[in-house]
């Protein structure tokens, strides 16, 4: 299985000294000699290796991607092969033979509200953590501020303007300004103090969705382009780091643009209702902004309603296709895949599957080679690996 991260990406995470040294420091405090540790999303095994350095007796290291095989090599190279039990799979679908004393993970994206981070931690905490066990990280806080970011804003919007090679590309602008992106933010870009939007205590969190209001009374003049959000983390008591403006950690900061730039004056009241809802595999963001001149309700300067759903290029047809009332009709590609899966279930070799598929769907495949490549993809996605020593899916 391939990973969303490249080897270079894993390397960058390791090279982030504040992050990685922080994790090592936290593990030193949490892992007592003989402890049992669970590393969720071990990647190339770095945190599992560190847990061994700290004296762990056993580490269960879970990772769905094939890069786990590199972790196995690194464990052997460092003399920890007998202490780290690598399991290729997703933590929520596996069971462990014993409770663990420590659960360590770094499942953050730019923000902790990323993919299935919260349901994953909640599941692991409930099913695997021994009473009194430790979680690393233990808490993340999300911070927000109004920002002046002309260059980043230009990148979002400049192409979608009135006169681009004599063409009016403005109809695409509403999509562009509803896109949340990673952005460089320096302390001097902040027009307001940072405000804490939410704190995720991983010992107690249950609910993956977050919504809360932010509000600032402007103390200075500036051009507001939107909001920046980042997180600070408590890995363990006394072991913390911030991803605030100006910090260099790999996670970065998130920019939530406004539909238009706003001239802000001292006394203006900026209120943002920010909501993050986990839908399917990732978060849908909504940010509704009201700006009142001098804080006076009758002097409304802006009333924006924005959502990352409006920033996704989703056609009305594909939305209808997902509706609960929709009766799906299998496409030609669906029929091909169903045929291949049936042949897989009947225990045919991929070569035999490719031969039959190419014969049955000659318009879809130029030959057996193309059919083999496609069947191989399905084998990777839905088949069990031939060497299933490390593989678990239930
Ligand atoms: C940000 S990387 C961290 C890699 C490594 N632990 C480190 O700290 O450098 C997150 C990893 O978690 C994995 N992952 C995400 N959700 C997972 C889950 N529920 N079970 C196992 N692995 C997961 C991803 O495939 C990815 O390799």
């Amino acid at each position: 299985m391939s990973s969303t991260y490249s080897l270079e990406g894993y390397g960058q995470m390791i090279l982030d000294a504040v992050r990685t040294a922080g994790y090592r420091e936290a593990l030193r405090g949490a892992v007592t000699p003989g402890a049992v540790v669970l590393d969720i999303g071990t990647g190339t095994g770095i945190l599992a290796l560190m847990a061994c350095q700290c004296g762990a007796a056993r580490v269960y290291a879970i990772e769905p991607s094939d890069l786990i095989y590199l972790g196995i090599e690194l464990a052997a190279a460092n003399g920890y092969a007998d202490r780290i039990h690598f399991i290729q799979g997703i933590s929520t679908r596996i069971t462990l033979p014993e409770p663990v004393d420590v659960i360590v993970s770094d499942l953050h994206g730019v923000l902790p509200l990323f993919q299935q981070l919260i349901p994953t931690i909640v599941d692991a905490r409930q099913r695997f953590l021994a009473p009194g066990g430790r979680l690393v990280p233990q808490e993340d806080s999300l911070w927000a501020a109004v920002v002046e970011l002309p260059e980043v804003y230009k990148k979002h919007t400049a192409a979608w303007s009135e006169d681009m090679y004599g063409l009016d590309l403005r109809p695409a602008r509403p999509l562009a300004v509803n896109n949340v992106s990673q952005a460089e933010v320096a302390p001097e870009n902040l027009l307001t103090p940072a405000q804490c939007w939410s704190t995720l205590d991983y010992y107690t969190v249950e609910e993956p969705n977050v919504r809360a209001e932010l509000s600032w009374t402007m103390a200075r003049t500036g051009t507001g382009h939107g909001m920046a959000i980042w997180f600070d983390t408590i890995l363990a008591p006394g072991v913390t780091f911030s991803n605030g403006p100006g910090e260099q950690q790999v996670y970065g900061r998130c920019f939530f643009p406004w539909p238009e730039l706003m001239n802000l004056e001292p006394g203006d009241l900026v209120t943002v209702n920010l909501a993050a809802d986990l839908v399917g595999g990732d978060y849908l963001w909504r940010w509704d902004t009201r700006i009142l001149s001098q804080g006076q309700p009758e002097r409304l300067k802006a009333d924006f309603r924005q959502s990352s759903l409006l920033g996704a290029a989703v056609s009305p047809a594909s939305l209808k296709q997902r509706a609960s009332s929709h009766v799906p009709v299998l496409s030609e590609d669906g029929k091909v895949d169903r045929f291949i899966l049936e042949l897989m279930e009947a225990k045919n070799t991929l070569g035999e599957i490719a031969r039959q598929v190419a014969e049955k769907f000659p318009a879809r495949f130029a030959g057996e080679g193309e059919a083999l490549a496609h069947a191989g993809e399905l084998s990777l996605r839905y088949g069990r690996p031939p060497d299933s020593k490390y593989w678990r899916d239930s």
Side-chain angles (χ1 to χ4, degrees), residues 242-297:
S242 169
N243 297 295
E247 302 292 342
Q248 296 302 317
Q249 275 75 264
V250 284
Y251 311 100
R253 286 141 290 275
C254 236
F255 175 54
F256 291 68
W258 284 335
E260 56 197 77
L261 49 85
M262 295 301 306
N263 292 319
L264 298 168
E265 311 268 335
D268 285 354
L269 177 66
V270 180
T271 309
V272 182
N273 262 305
L274 178 62
D277 292 300
L278 184 60
V279 180
D282 215 340
Y283 278 88
L284 180 68
W285 289 91
R286 281 185 293 123
W287 60 112
D288 295 341
T289 310
R290 274 170 77 81
I291 304 176
L292 301 179
S293 180
Q294 300 305 302
Q296 294 174 15

Side-chain angles (χ1 to χ4, degrees), residues 3-5 10 13-14 19-20 23 39-47 62-65 89-92 105-108 115-116 120 251:
S3 168
T4 37
Y5 302 86
Y10 286 108
M13 283 184 267
I14 292 170
R19 180 201 86 107
T20 310
Y23 268 94
D39 174 10
I40 305 177
T42 197
T44 57
I46 181 72
L47 301 180
I62 309 177
E63 170 61 46
S65 93
I90 297 279
S91 62
T92 48
S105 64
D106 183 354
L107 304 174
H108 302 104
Q115 298 179 347
Q116 301 283 343
T120 299
Y251 311 100

